[in-house]
Every structure is written in structure tokens, then in C-alpha cells.
Short mmCIF file of all heavy atoms in Angstrom, two decimals:
data_model
loop_
_atom_site.label_atom_id
_atom_site.label_comp_id
_atom_site.label_asym_id
_atom_site.label_seq_id
_atom_site.Cartn_x
_atom_site.Cartn_y
_atom_site.Cartn_z
N MET R 220 9.92 8.75 3.58
CA MET R 220 8.96 8.20 2.58
C MET R 220 7.52 8.13 3.20
O MET R 220 7.39 7.75 4.37
CB MET R 220 9.43 6.82 2.19
CG MET R 220 8.38 6.12 1.29
SD MET R 220 8.73 4.37 1.13
CE MET R 220 10.17 4.28 0.15
N LYS R 221 6.58 8.49 2.38
CA LYS R 221 5.14 8.31 2.83
C LYS R 221 4.48 7.59 1.71
O LYS R 221 4.90 7.58 0.55
CB LYS R 221 4.47 9.68 3.01
CG LYS R 221 5.03 10.46 4.22
CD LYS R 221 4.36 11.83 4.21
CE LYS R 221 3.07 11.72 4.86
NZ LYS R 221 2.49 13.08 5.08
N ILE R 222 3.37 6.84 2.09
CA ILE R 222 2.63 6.15 1.04
C ILE R 222 1.11 6.42 1.27
O ILE R 222 0.70 6.76 2.40
CB ILE R 222 2.85 4.57 1.08
CG1 ILE R 222 2.46 4.07 2.45
CG2 ILE R 222 4.31 4.25 0.70
CD1 ILE R 222 2.44 2.52 2.45
N TYR R 223 0.38 6.26 0.19
CA TYR R 223 -1.05 6.18 0.34
C TYR R 223 -1.65 5.42 -0.79
O TYR R 223 -1.01 5.17 -1.89
CB TYR R 223 -1.70 7.54 0.41
CG TYR R 223 -1.66 8.38 -0.87
CD1 TYR R 223 -2.69 8.29 -1.74
CD2 TYR R 223 -0.65 9.23 -1.11
CE1 TYR R 223 -2.75 9.09 -2.92
CE2 TYR R 223 -0.59 10.04 -2.30
CZ TYR R 223 -1.65 9.89 -3.22
OH TYR R 223 -1.62 10.61 -4.34
N VAL R 224 -2.84 4.86 -0.67
CA VAL R 224 -3.50 4.05 -1.58
C VAL R 224 -4.52 5.02 -2.25
O VAL R 224 -5.40 5.63 -1.66
CB VAL R 224 -4.26 2.88 -1.01
CG1 VAL R 224 -5.05 2.09 -2.03
CG2 VAL R 224 -3.28 1.99 -0.30
N ASP R 225 -4.36 5.05 -3.56
CA ASP R 225 -5.31 5.86 -4.41
C ASP R 225 -6.59 5.06 -4.53
O ASP R 225 -6.66 4.06 -5.26
CB ASP R 225 -4.65 6.10 -5.70
CG ASP R 225 -5.61 6.89 -6.64
OD1 ASP R 225 -6.80 7.02 -6.42
OD2 ASP R 225 -5.07 7.43 -7.70
N GLN R 226 -7.63 5.43 -3.81
CA GLN R 226 -8.88 4.66 -3.79
C GLN R 226 -9.60 4.62 -5.12
O GLN R 226 -10.40 3.74 -5.35
CB GLN R 226 -9.80 5.32 -2.78
CG GLN R 226 -9.24 5.18 -1.36
CD GLN R 226 -9.05 3.75 -0.91
OE1 GLN R 226 -9.85 2.86 -1.09
NE2 GLN R 226 -7.90 3.43 -0.26
N THR R 227 -9.32 5.57 -6.00
CA THR R 227 -9.91 5.52 -7.33
C THR R 227 -9.28 4.42 -8.28
O THR R 227 -9.97 4.12 -9.25
CB THR R 227 -9.81 6.94 -8.06
OG1 THR R 227 -8.40 7.08 -8.40
CG2 THR R 227 -10.33 8.01 -7.22
N ARG R 228 -8.13 3.98 -7.79
CA ARG R 228 -7.47 2.93 -8.58
C ARG R 228 -7.56 1.54 -7.95
O ARG R 228 -7.62 0.55 -8.62
CB ARG R 228 -6.03 3.18 -8.85
CG ARG R 228 -5.73 4.40 -9.70
CD ARG R 228 -4.25 4.64 -9.87
NE ARG R 228 -3.88 5.58 -10.87
CZ ARG R 228 -3.48 5.18 -12.08
NH1 ARG R 228 -3.39 4.06 -12.44
NH2 ARG R 228 -3.19 6.18 -12.98
N CYS R 229 -7.63 1.41 -6.67
CA CYS R 229 -7.54 0.25 -5.97
C CYS R 229 -8.69 -0.69 -6.41
O CYS R 229 -9.88 -0.27 -6.33
CB CYS R 229 -7.51 0.40 -4.45
SG CYS R 229 -7.54 -1.11 -3.53
N GLN R 230 -8.43 -1.95 -6.74
CA GLN R 230 -9.45 -2.85 -7.14
C GLN R 230 -9.63 -4.02 -6.14
O GLN R 230 -10.43 -4.96 -6.46
CB GLN R 230 -9.15 -3.42 -8.48
CG GLN R 230 -9.14 -2.43 -9.66
CD GLN R 230 -10.53 -1.79 -9.83
OE1 GLN R 230 -11.52 -2.49 -9.87
NE2 GLN R 230 -10.68 -0.49 -9.89
N GLY R 231 -9.03 -3.96 -5.08
CA GLY R 231 -9.31 -4.95 -3.96
C GLY R 231 -8.66 -6.27 -4.14
O GLY R 231 -9.29 -7.22 -3.79
N HIS R 232 -7.49 -6.37 -4.79
CA HIS R 232 -6.80 -7.63 -4.87
C HIS R 232 -6.25 -8.15 -3.63
O HIS R 232 -5.96 -9.34 -3.44
CB HIS R 232 -5.74 -7.58 -5.96
CG HIS R 232 -6.18 -7.00 -7.19
ND1 HIS R 232 -6.98 -7.56 -8.07
CD2 HIS R 232 -5.76 -5.81 -7.75
CE1 HIS R 232 -7.12 -6.80 -9.12
NE2 HIS R 232 -6.47 -5.75 -9.03
N SER R 233 -5.95 -7.27 -2.64
CA SER R 233 -5.36 -7.53 -1.41
C SER R 233 -3.80 -7.97 -1.51
O SER R 233 -3.31 -8.44 -0.51
CB SER R 233 -6.00 -8.62 -0.71
OG SER R 233 -7.44 -8.28 -0.47
N ARG R 234 -3.30 -7.88 -2.63
CA ARG R 234 -1.94 -8.29 -2.80
C ARG R 234 -0.99 -7.46 -1.98
O ARG R 234 0.06 -7.99 -1.41
CB ARG R 234 -1.44 -8.10 -4.33
CG ARG R 234 -0.27 -8.78 -4.58
CD ARG R 234 0.09 -8.57 -6.07
NE ARG R 234 -0.69 -9.30 -6.97
CZ ARG R 234 -0.47 -9.50 -8.25
NH1 ARG R 234 0.53 -8.86 -8.80
NH2 ARG R 234 -1.40 -10.10 -9.06
N CYS R 235 -1.26 -6.24 -1.82
CA CYS R 235 -0.43 -5.35 -0.97
C CYS R 235 -0.39 -5.85 0.52
O CYS R 235 0.61 -5.93 1.13
CB CYS R 235 -0.83 -3.87 -1.07
SG CYS R 235 -2.57 -3.70 -0.65
N TYR R 236 -1.59 -6.15 0.92
CA TYR R 236 -1.68 -6.72 2.30
C TYR R 236 -0.96 -7.97 2.57
O TYR R 236 -0.32 -8.16 3.52
CB TYR R 236 -3.16 -6.81 2.68
CG TYR R 236 -3.42 -7.48 4.01
CD1 TYR R 236 -3.27 -6.58 5.15
CD2 TYR R 236 -3.81 -8.76 4.28
CE1 TYR R 236 -3.48 -7.12 6.43
CE2 TYR R 236 -3.97 -9.24 5.51
CZ TYR R 236 -3.87 -8.45 6.60
OH TYR R 236 -4.03 -8.95 7.83
N MET R 237 -0.98 -8.93 1.55
CA MET R 237 -0.26 -10.11 1.65
C MET R 237 1.19 -9.85 1.75
O MET R 237 1.99 -10.59 2.35
CB MET R 237 -0.63 -11.02 0.50
CG MET R 237 -2.04 -11.63 0.63
SD MET R 237 -2.31 -12.67 -0.69
CE MET R 237 -3.85 -12.04 -1.40
N LEU R 238 1.76 -8.83 0.95
CA LEU R 238 3.05 -8.64 0.84
C LEU R 238 3.71 -7.73 2.08
O LEU R 238 4.74 -7.92 2.56
CB LEU R 238 3.51 -7.88 -0.40
CG LEU R 238 3.30 -8.73 -1.63
CD1 LEU R 238 3.48 -7.78 -2.80
CD2 LEU R 238 4.49 -9.78 -1.68
N ALA R 239 2.77 -6.89 2.59
CA ALA R 239 3.23 -5.94 3.54
C ALA R 239 2.08 -5.59 4.50
O ALA R 239 1.53 -4.58 4.61
CB ALA R 239 3.67 -4.65 2.91
N PRO R 240 1.75 -6.63 5.45
CA PRO R 240 0.58 -6.41 6.36
C PRO R 240 0.79 -5.35 7.43
O PRO R 240 -0.20 -4.84 7.96
CB PRO R 240 0.38 -7.79 6.98
CG PRO R 240 1.76 -8.45 6.81
CD PRO R 240 2.33 -8.03 5.58
N ASP R 241 2.10 -4.93 7.61
CA ASP R 241 2.23 -3.83 8.53
C ASP R 241 1.92 -2.42 7.96
O ASP R 241 1.71 -1.49 8.63
CB ASP R 241 3.73 -3.77 8.93
CG ASP R 241 4.11 -4.95 9.80
OD1 ASP R 241 3.31 -5.51 10.48
OD2 ASP R 241 5.37 -5.28 9.76
N LEU R 242 1.83 -2.46 6.66
CA LEU R 242 1.56 -1.15 5.95
C LEU R 242 0.17 -0.93 5.44
O LEU R 242 -0.28 0.24 5.23
CB LEU R 242 2.57 -1.07 4.68
CG LEU R 242 3.99 -0.89 5.04
CD1 LEU R 242 4.73 -1.00 3.80
CD2 LEU R 242 4.17 0.40 5.72
N PHE R 243 -0.63 -2.04 5.31
CA PHE R 243 -1.96 -1.89 4.71
C PHE R 243 -2.98 -2.57 5.58
O PHE R 243 -2.70 -3.67 6.14
CB PHE R 243 -1.92 -2.47 3.23
CG PHE R 243 -0.94 -1.78 2.41
CD1 PHE R 243 0.37 -2.30 2.15
CD2 PHE R 243 -1.21 -0.58 1.73
CE1 PHE R 243 1.26 -1.80 1.44
CE2 PHE R 243 -0.29 0.14 0.98
CZ PHE R 243 0.98 -0.57 0.84
N GLU R 244 -4.17 -2.12 5.41
CA GLU R 244 -5.30 -2.88 6.03
C GLU R 244 -6.37 -3.01 4.91
O GLU R 244 -6.45 -2.06 4.08
CB GLU R 244 -5.85 -2.30 7.27
CG GLU R 244 -6.24 -0.87 7.15
CD GLU R 244 -6.44 -0.22 8.56
OE1 GLU R 244 -6.25 -0.90 9.58
OE2 GLU R 244 -6.79 1.01 8.63
N ILE R 245 -7.13 -4.10 4.99
CA ILE R 245 -8.15 -4.28 3.89
C ILE R 245 -9.54 -4.40 4.51
O ILE R 245 -9.65 -4.81 5.72
CB ILE R 245 -7.80 -5.52 3.04
CG1 ILE R 245 -7.63 -6.76 3.90
CG2 ILE R 245 -6.55 -5.22 2.23
CD1 ILE R 245 -7.48 -8.03 3.10
N ASP R 246 -10.47 -3.98 3.74
CA ASP R 246 -11.89 -4.01 4.27
C ASP R 246 -12.46 -5.50 3.76
O ASP R 246 -11.74 -6.21 3.16
CB ASP R 246 -12.76 -2.93 3.84
CG ASP R 246 -12.93 -2.85 2.34
OD1 ASP R 246 -12.58 -3.84 1.56
OD2 ASP R 246 -13.34 -1.73 1.80
N ASP R 247 -13.76 -5.61 4.01
CA ASP R 247 -14.35 -6.96 3.65
C ASP R 247 -14.32 -7.16 2.15
O ASP R 247 -14.57 -8.34 1.73
CB ASP R 247 -15.83 -6.96 4.15
CG ASP R 247 -15.92 -6.94 5.62
OD1 ASP R 247 -14.94 -7.31 6.32
OD2 ASP R 247 -16.99 -6.69 6.20
N TYR R 248 -14.10 -6.21 1.40
CA TYR R 248 -14.11 -6.37 -0.11
C TYR R 248 -12.65 -6.37 -0.64
O TYR R 248 -12.40 -6.46 -1.91
CB TYR R 248 -14.85 -5.25 -0.80
CG TYR R 248 -16.25 -5.11 -0.31
CD1 TYR R 248 -16.56 -4.20 0.65
CD2 TYR R 248 -17.33 -5.98 -0.78
CE1 TYR R 248 -17.91 -4.09 1.23
CE2 TYR R 248 -18.53 -5.92 -0.29
CZ TYR R 248 -18.88 -4.98 0.67
OH TYR R 248 -20.18 -4.98 1.13
N GLY R 249 -11.72 -6.42 0.35
CA GLY R 249 -10.33 -6.48 -0.17
C GLY R 249 -9.64 -5.13 -0.40
O GLY R 249 -8.54 -5.03 -0.81
N GLN R 250 -10.46 -4.12 -0.33
CA GLN R 250 -10.03 -2.76 -0.66
C GLN R 250 -9.03 -2.30 0.41
O GLN R 250 -9.20 -2.59 1.51
CB GLN R 250 -11.18 -1.78 -0.62
CG GLN R 250 -10.98 -0.45 -1.26
CD GLN R 250 -11.16 -0.42 -2.75
OE1 GLN R 250 -11.78 -1.46 -3.30
NE2 GLN R 250 -10.77 0.61 -3.43
N SER R 251 -7.95 -1.73 -0.13
CA SER R 251 -6.83 -1.46 0.86
C SER R 251 -6.76 0.03 1.16
O SER R 251 -7.11 0.93 0.40
CB SER R 251 -5.56 -1.83 0.09
OG SER R 251 -4.44 -1.47 0.84
N THR R 252 -6.33 0.33 2.40
CA THR R 252 -5.93 1.60 2.85
C THR R 252 -4.57 1.55 3.55
O THR R 252 -4.26 0.49 4.07
CB THR R 252 -6.89 2.24 3.74
OG1 THR R 252 -7.19 1.43 4.79
CG2 THR R 252 -8.26 2.65 2.98
N GLU R 253 -3.84 2.61 3.60
CA GLU R 253 -2.59 2.65 4.27
C GLU R 253 -2.80 2.73 5.77
O GLU R 253 -3.77 3.34 6.22
CB GLU R 253 -1.64 3.76 3.83
CG GLU R 253 -2.17 5.16 4.09
CD GLU R 253 -3.30 5.73 3.20
OE1 GLU R 253 -3.63 4.99 2.17
OE2 GLU R 253 -3.88 6.69 3.49
N LYS R 254 -1.98 1.98 6.55
CA LYS R 254 -2.13 1.99 7.95
C LYS R 254 -1.34 3.19 8.57
O LYS R 254 -1.74 3.68 9.67
CB LYS R 254 -1.44 0.76 8.57
CG LYS R 254 -2.35 -0.43 8.68
CD LYS R 254 -1.64 -1.56 9.47
CE LYS R 254 -2.38 -2.79 9.63
NZ LYS R 254 -1.67 -3.79 10.25
N ILE R 255 -0.30 3.60 7.84
CA ILE R 255 0.53 4.63 8.41
C ILE R 255 0.47 5.82 7.53
O ILE R 255 0.94 5.67 6.29
CB ILE R 255 2.00 4.14 8.63
CG1 ILE R 255 2.02 2.93 9.44
CG2 ILE R 255 2.92 5.24 9.16
CD1 ILE R 255 3.42 2.24 9.50
N ASN R 256 0.04 7.04 7.92
CA ASN R 256 -0.01 8.13 7.04
C ASN R 256 0.97 9.27 7.35
O ASN R 256 0.81 10.42 6.99
CB ASN R 256 -1.48 8.62 6.85
CG ASN R 256 -1.98 9.11 8.18
OD1 ASN R 256 -1.34 9.18 9.23
ND2 ASN R 256 -3.33 9.36 8.21
N VAL R 257 1.97 8.86 8.15
CA VAL R 257 3.10 9.75 8.45
C VAL R 257 4.32 9.14 7.81
O VAL R 257 4.29 8.05 7.20
CB VAL R 257 3.33 10.01 9.88
CG1 VAL R 257 2.12 10.75 10.47
CG2 VAL R 257 3.45 8.70 10.60
N HIS R 258 5.53 9.78 7.96
CA HIS R 258 6.75 9.19 7.35
C HIS R 258 6.91 7.78 7.90
O HIS R 258 6.78 7.51 9.17
CB HIS R 258 7.95 10.08 7.63
CG HIS R 258 8.03 11.20 6.69
ND1 HIS R 258 7.46 12.48 7.02
CD2 HIS R 258 8.51 11.28 5.46
CE1 HIS R 258 7.66 13.32 6.03
NE2 HIS R 258 8.34 12.65 5.11
N LEU R 259 7.31 6.90 7.03
CA LEU R 259 7.55 5.47 7.43
C LEU R 259 8.81 5.36 8.13
O LEU R 259 9.78 5.95 7.75
CB LEU R 259 7.46 4.52 6.18
CG LEU R 259 6.16 4.49 5.39
CD1 LEU R 259 6.45 3.50 4.26
CD2 LEU R 259 4.97 4.06 6.22
N PRO R 260 8.89 4.40 9.12
CA PRO R 260 10.16 3.99 9.63
C PRO R 260 11.02 3.46 8.48
O PRO R 260 10.44 2.74 7.58
CB PRO R 260 9.78 2.94 10.70
CG PRO R 260 8.44 3.00 10.88
CD PRO R 260 7.76 3.68 9.64
N SER R 261 12.28 3.58 8.49
CA SER R 261 13.13 3.15 7.30
C SER R 261 13.06 1.70 7.15
O SER R 261 13.20 1.21 5.98
CB SER R 261 14.58 3.66 7.61
OG SER R 261 15.07 3.14 8.84
N GLU R 262 12.76 0.92 8.16
CA GLU R 262 12.81 -0.51 7.99
C GLU R 262 11.53 -0.95 7.18
O GLU R 262 11.48 -2.14 6.80
CB GLU R 262 12.88 -1.26 9.36
CG GLU R 262 11.73 -1.01 10.30
CD GLU R 262 12.07 0.17 11.26
OE1 GLU R 262 12.85 0.98 10.95
OE2 GLU R 262 11.40 0.13 12.31
N LEU R 263 10.55 -0.11 7.05
CA LEU R 263 9.39 -0.50 6.26
C LEU R 263 9.44 -0.05 4.84
O LEU R 263 8.54 -0.30 4.00
CB LEU R 263 8.11 0.03 6.93
CG LEU R 263 7.72 -0.65 8.25
CD1 LEU R 263 6.57 0.12 8.88
CD2 LEU R 263 7.55 -2.10 8.18
N GLU R 264 10.44 0.74 4.52
CA GLU R 264 10.48 1.29 3.13
C GLU R 264 10.64 0.23 2.08
O GLU R 264 10.03 0.44 1.01
CB GLU R 264 11.63 2.33 3.03
CG GLU R 264 11.34 3.55 3.90
CD GLU R 264 12.44 4.63 3.69
OE1 GLU R 264 13.44 4.31 2.96
OE2 GLU R 264 12.43 5.71 4.29
N GLU R 265 11.37 -0.77 2.29
CA GLU R 265 11.53 -1.83 1.23
C GLU R 265 10.20 -2.51 1.04
O GLU R 265 9.85 -2.82 -0.02
CB GLU R 265 12.71 -2.80 1.77
CG GLU R 265 13.01 -3.76 0.68
CD GLU R 265 14.16 -4.74 1.13
OE1 GLU R 265 14.95 -4.28 2.00
OE2 GLU R 265 14.25 -5.82 0.61
N ASP R 266 9.53 -2.76 2.17
CA ASP R 266 8.18 -3.43 1.91
C ASP R 266 7.24 -2.50 1.23
O ASP R 266 6.41 -2.91 0.40
CB ASP R 266 7.53 -3.66 3.33
CG ASP R 266 8.07 -4.94 3.91
OD1 ASP R 266 8.93 -5.63 3.29
OD2 ASP R 266 7.75 -5.32 5.13
N ALA R 267 7.36 -1.20 1.44
CA ALA R 267 6.45 -0.23 0.72
C ALA R 267 6.76 -0.35 -0.85
O ALA R 267 5.85 -0.29 -1.63
CB ALA R 267 6.76 1.15 1.23
N ARG R 268 8.06 -0.32 -1.10
CA ARG R 268 8.35 -0.40 -2.50
C ARG R 268 7.92 -1.71 -3.21
O ARG R 268 7.47 -1.78 -4.32
CB ARG R 268 9.90 -0.24 -2.78
CG ARG R 268 10.33 1.20 -2.46
CD ARG R 268 11.76 1.46 -2.91
NE ARG R 268 12.13 2.79 -2.79
CZ ARG R 268 12.67 3.29 -1.72
NH1 ARG R 268 13.08 2.54 -0.74
NH2 ARG R 268 13.02 4.58 -1.60
N LEU R 269 8.16 -2.76 -2.43
CA LEU R 269 7.72 -4.16 -2.96
C LEU R 269 6.19 -4.11 -3.24
O LEU R 269 5.77 -4.62 -4.29
CB LEU R 269 8.05 -5.24 -1.90
CG LEU R 269 7.71 -6.61 -2.24
CD1 LEU R 269 8.56 -7.16 -3.39
CD2 LEU R 269 7.90 -7.52 -1.05
N ALA R 270 5.44 -3.57 -2.22
CA ALA R 270 3.98 -3.64 -2.55
C ALA R 270 3.55 -2.71 -3.66
O ALA R 270 2.80 -3.06 -4.45
CB ALA R 270 3.26 -3.03 -1.33
N ALA R 271 4.18 -1.55 -3.80
CA ALA R 271 3.87 -0.68 -4.91
C ALA R 271 4.21 -1.32 -6.26
O ALA R 271 3.51 -1.23 -7.20
CB ALA R 271 4.64 0.65 -4.78
N GLU R 272 5.37 -1.90 -6.32
CA GLU R 272 5.83 -2.64 -7.65
C GLU R 272 4.90 -3.78 -7.87
O GLU R 272 4.72 -4.05 -9.08
CB GLU R 272 7.22 -3.08 -7.44
CG GLU R 272 8.25 -2.06 -7.35
CD GLU R 272 9.64 -2.50 -6.88
OE1 GLU R 272 9.77 -3.79 -6.54
OE2 GLU R 272 10.54 -1.74 -6.79
N ASN R 273 4.26 -4.33 -6.92
CA ASN R 273 3.36 -5.48 -7.25
C ASN R 273 1.92 -5.20 -7.27
O ASN R 273 1.06 -6.08 -7.31
CB ASN R 273 3.58 -6.58 -6.08
CG ASN R 273 4.90 -7.26 -6.45
OD1 ASN R 273 5.00 -8.25 -7.22
ND2 ASN R 273 6.05 -6.83 -5.79
N CYS R 274 1.52 -4.00 -7.12
CA CYS R 274 0.07 -3.54 -7.25
C CYS R 274 -0.29 -3.47 -8.76
O CYS R 274 0.33 -2.66 -9.47
CB CYS R 274 -0.25 -2.21 -6.60
SG CYS R 274 -1.88 -1.74 -6.88
N PRO R 275 -1.14 -4.38 -9.25
CA PRO R 275 -1.55 -4.38 -10.62
C PRO R 275 -2.17 -3.16 -11.09
O PRO R 275 -2.36 -2.94 -12.26
CB PRO R 275 -2.34 -5.67 -10.79
CG PRO R 275 -2.85 -6.02 -9.44
CD PRO R 275 -1.84 -5.36 -8.46
N GLU R 276 -2.76 -2.38 -10.19
CA GLU R 276 -3.47 -1.25 -10.59
C GLU R 276 -2.70 0.17 -10.43
O GLU R 276 -3.25 1.20 -10.57
CB GLU R 276 -4.75 -1.12 -9.72
CG GLU R 276 -5.59 -2.32 -9.68
CD GLU R 276 -6.11 -2.74 -11.05
OE1 GLU R 276 -6.26 -1.88 -11.97
OE2 GLU R 276 -6.39 -3.96 -11.30
N PHE R 277 -1.41 -0.03 -9.99
CA PHE R 277 -0.56 1.15 -9.69
C PHE R 277 -1.25 2.07 -8.77
O PHE R 277 -1.30 3.32 -8.95
CB PHE R 277 -0.27 1.88 -11.05
CG PHE R 277 0.37 0.97 -12.05
CD1 PHE R 277 -0.26 0.55 -13.12
CD2 PHE R 277 1.67 0.56 -11.91
CE1 PHE R 277 0.23 -0.34 -14.06
CE2 PHE R 277 2.29 -0.29 -12.84
CZ PHE R 277 1.55 -0.76 -13.90
N ALA R 278 -1.92 1.54 -7.77
CA ALA R 278 -2.70 2.30 -6.83
C ALA R 278 -1.92 2.77 -5.55
O ALA R 278 -2.43 3.63 -4.81
CB ALA R 278 -3.89 1.51 -6.34
N ILE R 279 -0.72 2.24 -5.48
CA ILE R 279 0.04 2.65 -4.27
C ILE R 279 1.04 3.77 -4.59
O ILE R 279 1.91 3.62 -5.43
CB ILE R 279 0.80 1.41 -3.66
CG1 ILE R 279 -0.28 0.36 -3.16
CG2 ILE R 279 1.66 1.85 -2.50
CD1 ILE R 279 0.43 -0.98 -2.90
N VAL R 280 0.80 4.91 -3.99
CA VAL R 280 1.57 6.12 -4.37
C VAL R 280 2.70 6.24 -3.28
O VAL R 280 2.34 6.17 -2.08
CB VAL R 280 0.76 7.36 -4.47
CG1 VAL R 280 1.53 8.59 -4.78
CG2 VAL R 280 -0.44 7.06 -5.40
N ILE R 281 3.90 6.42 -3.73
CA ILE R 281 5.00 6.65 -2.80
C ILE R 281 5.43 8.02 -2.97
O ILE R 281 5.65 8.55 -4.07
CB ILE R 281 6.20 5.73 -3.15
CG1 ILE R 281 5.76 4.28 -2.71
CG2 ILE R 281 7.42 6.15 -2.45
CD1 ILE R 281 6.88 3.20 -3.01
N ILE R 282 5.63 8.75 -1.88
CA ILE R 282 6.16 10.13 -1.81
C ILE R 282 7.48 10.06 -1.06
O ILE R 282 7.54 9.74 0.05
CB ILE R 282 5.16 10.99 -1.09
CG1 ILE R 282 3.76 11.00 -1.82
CG2 ILE R 282 5.72 12.48 -1.14
CD1 ILE R 282 2.73 11.63 -0.96
N GLU R 283 8.56 10.38 -1.80
CA GLU R 283 9.86 10.31 -1.22
C GLU R 283 10.17 11.55 -0.37
O GLU R 283 9.70 12.65 -0.82
CB GLU R 283 10.98 10.17 -2.36
CG GLU R 283 10.77 8.86 -3.17
CD GLU R 283 11.34 7.62 -2.39
OE1 GLU R 283 11.92 7.70 -1.25
OE2 GLU R 283 11.14 6.53 -2.99
S1 LIG W 44 -2.67 -4.60 -4.55
FE1 LIG W 44 -3.27 -2.50 -5.22
S2 LIG W 44 -5.21 -2.82 -6.09
FE2 LIG W 44 -4.87 -4.52 -4.82
S3 LIG W 44 -5.70 -4.08 -2.80
FE3 LIG W 44 -3.54 -3.42 -2.78
S4 LIG W 44 -3.63 -1.25 -3.48
FE4 LIG W 44 -5.51 -2.20 -3.98
#
């Protein structure tokens, strides 16, 4: 699994960072980017799904 944050959709709520700080980093405006842009370790996949499901802007893209 890989993930990335669609910057055209992200509105800077920081919800993803609160749920999965190992996967996302936020700037001073709360805008998120993915920390890992290669295949995720399997133990982080559940957090990735949780973050994607809770992003109100559907900005977190999961590639299986
Ligand atoms: S929850 Fe979604 S919209 Fe909010 S910062 Fe994270 S990726 Fe961006």
C-alpha cells in the first residue's frame, strides 16, 4: 500500500496528523503531506485507512 495527500483537496484540518502522526506531517497552516512515499510497512496500513476514512475532504489517496 502507498498513500499520498492530494494537495488540491487538502483543507488543512490536521485530522490525519492527529490520527496517524507516523504517516503525515503538517505545515504551519495545517496542510498535510505524506511522510512516507514508498510502500508502507504493513503495521501502518490500518492507520492509513483510518486517516483516509476520516479525511472530510477525501484528500488521502490509497494505492493498494
Ligand atoms: S484530514 Fe484531510 S484535509 Fe485535513 S489535513 Fe489531513 S489530508 Fe488535509
Side-chain angles (χ1 to χ4, degrees):
M220 176 195 286
K221 295 175 78 171
I222 59 168
Y223 69 91
V224 178
D225 180 344
Q226 297 300 317
T227 66
R228 288 179 172 264
C229 179
Q230 295 295 314
H232 310 291
S233 305
R234 193 180 290 188
C235 53
Y236 177 75
M237 287 183 235
L238 289 169
D241 291 337
L242 291 174
F243 302 97
E244 55 193 1
I245 53 172
D246 66 14
D247 291 344
Y248 303 99
Q250 195 86 10
S251 175
T252 52
E253 67 281 355
K254 272 188 179 173
I255 304 171
N256 58 11
V257 295
H258 280 95
L259 297 181
S261 56
E262 64 267 24
L263 291 178
E264 290 184 359
E265 191 174 334
D266 280 357
R268 288 196 176 90
L269 180 69
E272 287 164 3
N273 283 279
C274 174
E276 309 300 334
F277 306 103
I279 298 170
V280 180
I281 291 180
I282 302 166
E283 298 281 356

